[in-house]
Amino acid sequence: MEWFRRFLDWFGKIPGWWKDASKGQKFIVTLVGASVLSAAILLALINAPKYVLLLSTRTEADAGPILQQLETLGIPYKVEAGNKILIPSTYNVYEVRMRLASAGVLAGSTRGFEILDQTSLGATSFDKQVRYQIALQGELERTISTIKGVQSARVVLTLPKYTYYVRGEMSEPRASVMVILEPGQLLTKEQVRGIIALVLGAVEGIKAENIKIVDQTGKNLSELLNLDETTALASTKLELKMNLENYYKRKIKEPLESVFGPGRVEVIPDVKLNWEKIEKQIVTYTAPNKKEGLVRSREVQSEISTTMQGPGGPVGTESNIPPTTYETVEATGQATYQKSHEIVNYELNQIVENVVRNSEGEIENITVSVIIDASSTVVERTPKEQIEKLVTSIIEKSIDANTPEGSVTYAVAFIPFSREIEMGFYEQLKELQATQKLRTRLVLLFIASVLIFFATYLGLVQFRKVQARKLMLQRYKALQEEAQRVMEQITEEEVIPGAEEEMILEQLKTYLQQVADTTPEDVATVLKVWLAEKG
């Protein structure tokens, strides 16, 4: 404990030394202390470990196994809001993630087909079905979570119950999907269709109308996909109209902005499409040629009649009054009648002509409104009539080639644009740049001040060393000369033989004792010079 006692004694002398110190010494000590403290703080900030994001988990339950594994691996970590886990930048983030993945803690609470590896001998068919359903749900959740904009997903399947021999009564499976979207993200119709396609491909026998998708706000995303053909056609028409308007807007706006400057032109197109479709059938009938016509039916009627007179009595009543006896009269003569009739029906010549006029998707009319910033330098230097003429020519040549003649209507207006938001943004940007420059200058000034201080301090220390060395050399030479003079005086005096050396040493000791008493600085200087020469 001797060293501690010495330290306390030295520490107790500091107030007295500070009280007796001059102003210059106090200033130097204060400046050195402040510089050392600033350098220590700067080094601490530079060498402080920087933390980088390792991963973010959905819930605290998912973060628990990861933190335990990090503690097992001996990796320090920090946890921030939003279940964010950070590690020092000295560690390789990708290597740590791979090690966590190999330990099986990155999957969180979602488990997939790996649970099928954990089977028991006494499991029934229903138990196996439930495990398969849970595994399928986990695999779908993992897959859907990889879609851009989706932070996590939850899938619930309702599958028909069946055994190895008998299917259940409910033959249609159903699926409910809940997606938790990232902040500021929305799913497009194509992404919703993709999720439905994933479920359709993974679940046997499921139908698209039995899949429901909602987000964390409770919005039914599956309603975005209406399977009605009429609604789908209307949606397609609207998308085609918007695509054409955006196309003409870019086609007109980009060249005009190259002339008047970015943000100085606004184009408002309105495209009217023709969705008319006419189908017409024309049937023409012509008389057939009797010689070459196609016989449709033929009817032939033929009648032949032959009449012969038979035997009989005389004509009158006498032959009919009993006794009926009369002279037989023999028949003489024969009458023949013949008649024929033919009806022929011919097919009419029929010409069927189908005329289809399909104008679906064709541009019927385009209205373009162009607004130009009146405060633009180009507008100020050029007459507005000339600018309007040039803009009109550009619009005509850009659009008329793809549209029917006379279907383009356009208007050009010169209106000063409001620049309040832009000016506010530029002012904030300037303030931010000025603040950044000021910080940079202050940091550079601080570093320069520290460097200048150390350079000045080292220069002063070196200058004092040089001055002290010169003073020591001067004192050393003066002592040498004084010692030489004393030696000469001793040699001039009469000395007893044999006692010469002892006498000289005795006189030198006496002289040195006098010098040490009168000028101790000179003795210290001589000792420093000797040590420097021998060291």
Side-chain angles (χ1 to χ4, degrees), residues 232-282:
L233 182 60
S235 177
T236 304
K237 292 179 180 179
L238 181 61
E239 289 179 0
L240 179 59
K241 182 179 185 313
M242 294 175 61
N243 291 336
L244 285 173
E245 289 177 351
N246 292 331
Y247 167 74
Y248 284 116
K249 182 177 181 179
R250 291 194 305 269
K251 191 174 182 180
I252 299 172
K253 187 175 181 179
E254 290 178 358
L256 291 180
E257 282 188 340
S258 301
V259 177
F260 297 100
R264 301 282 183 176
V265 179
E266 190 61 41
V267 179
I268 307 173
D270 182 47
V271 179
K272 183 180 180 181
L273 300 178
N274 186 1
W275 298 103
E276 185 179 14
K277 183 179 181 180
I278 300 175
E279 295 183 4
K280 183 169 59 175
Q281 187 180 44
I282 301 174

Side-chain angles (χ1 to χ4, degrees), residues 38 42 46 439-455:
S38 301
L42 187 61
I46 293 174
R439 290 177 181 175
T440 305
R441 289 176 180 175
L442 289 175
V443 171
L444 293 176
L445 182 62
F446 174 75
I447 295 173
S449 302
V450 172
L451 293 176
I452 292 173
F453 167 75
F454 279 109

Side-chain angles (χ1 to χ4, degrees), residues 83-153:
N83 299 326
K84 296 180 180 179
I85 302 176
L86 294 86
I87 61 173
S89 58
T90 54
Y91 290 90
N92 190 338
V93 175
Y94 305 102
E95 180 184 355
V96 174
R97 289 176 183 170
M98 292 178 184
R99 295 171 69 180
L100 293 175
S102 63
V105 296
L106 283 187
S109 58
T110 302
R111 304 179 66 186
F113 285 130
E114 63 269 12
I115 67 174
L116 298 179
D117 298 333
Q118 304 171 0
T119 58
S120 59
L121 296 176
T124 62
S125 61
F126 180 74
D127 295 335
K128 293 180 180 179
Q129 181 186 359
V130 172
R131 294 177 71 86
Y132 173 75
Q133 179 176 339
I134 296 173
L136 185 57
Q137 290 176 173
E139 291 295 331
L140 286 173
E141 290 174 3
R142 291 178 180 177
T143 306
I144 295 173
S145 299
T146 59
I147 297 176
K148 183 179 180 182
V150 178
Q151 185 175 358
S152 60

Side-chain angles (χ1 to χ4, degrees), residues 314-331:
V315 179
T317 59
E318 293 181 355
S319 61
N320 295 320
I321 299 174
T324 55
T325 59
Y326 52 85
E327 184 180 1
T328 303
V329 182
E330 294 181 1

